[in-house]
Amino acid sequence: MAQSAGIQIGELSRRPACNIETIRYYERIALLPVPVRSAGRYRVYDTADVRRLAFIRRARELGFTLDDVRTLLSLSTNDNLGACANVRELAESHLAEVRAKIADLRAMEHVLADAVRHCAAGEVPGCPIIDALSAG
């Protein structure tokens, strides 16, 4: 692999704002390729590694699992039309999960808002928030 940039791990961690230990972890689980080593045994990365790490970080920020990220990375190197369909399928599945979480969060918001309102109004004896949490 040609090392066009000669980037060390500290610089790599700063570019997409990723912890050094996370970079090492991504190497151990093969999301990032094992980098070449300099004569001084330092890890040396190139600009492709920076792009790949940024891709991983963004996918993780969007809530994709590590397995999903691995799949997306493998599909991103595939130039056929089927790859795009597979990416869309994965994204649709993830979107459904996100929408389900949003619905759960809205339900939680409603329960908590009611409990806080009842507590502030003193409408219910005892503590409505404790009662709401106890009710499951």
Side-chain angles (χ1 to χ4, degrees):
M1 165 168 65
Q3 294 299 315
S4 59
I7 301 164
Q8 290 187 356
I9 197 166
E11 177 63 22
L12 178 65
S13 75
R14 281 187 285 283
R15 290 190 183 189
C18 185
N19 185 291
I20 289 173
E21 288 305 314
T22 303
I23 293 169
R24 290 178 181 145
Y25 174 69
Y26 289 161
E27 289 171 11
R28 280 193 306 277
I29 65 170
L31 282 180
L32 281 175
V34 176
V36 297
R37 299 279 182 151
S38 70
R41 303 288 303 140
Y42 292 104
R43 290 172 165 90
V44 180
Y45 302 90
D46 64 15
T47 53
D49 297 318
V50 174
R51 284 191 306 274
R52 187 175 181 100
L53 182 58
F55 180 94
I56 294 167
R57 294 284 296 155
R58 184 65 180 140
R60 295 292 289 146
E61 287 170 358
L62 292 173
F64 285 97
T65 67
L66 291 173
D67 286 337
D68 290 343
V69 173
R70 187 179 318 283
T71 301
L72 289 168
L73 283 168
S74 71
L75 291 170
S76 72
T77 60
N78 193 338
D79 289 334
N80 71 41
L81 294 176
C84 188
N86 291 337
V87 170
R88 185 183 61 250
E89 213 173 278
L90 183 63
E92 286 172 346
S93 174
H94 185 61
L95 179 59
E97 292 171 14
V98 167
R99 286 179 172 157
K101 287 177 187 177
I102 289 170
D104 287 344
L105 287 170
R106 285 190 177 129
M108 280 191 270
E109 176 190 29
H110 181 70
V111 169
L112 287 171
D114 282 350
V116 168
R117 186 177 45 77
H118 287 310
C119 185
E123 298 172 356
V124 179
C127 180
I129 297 171
I130 296 295
D131 293 342
L133 293 172
S134 298

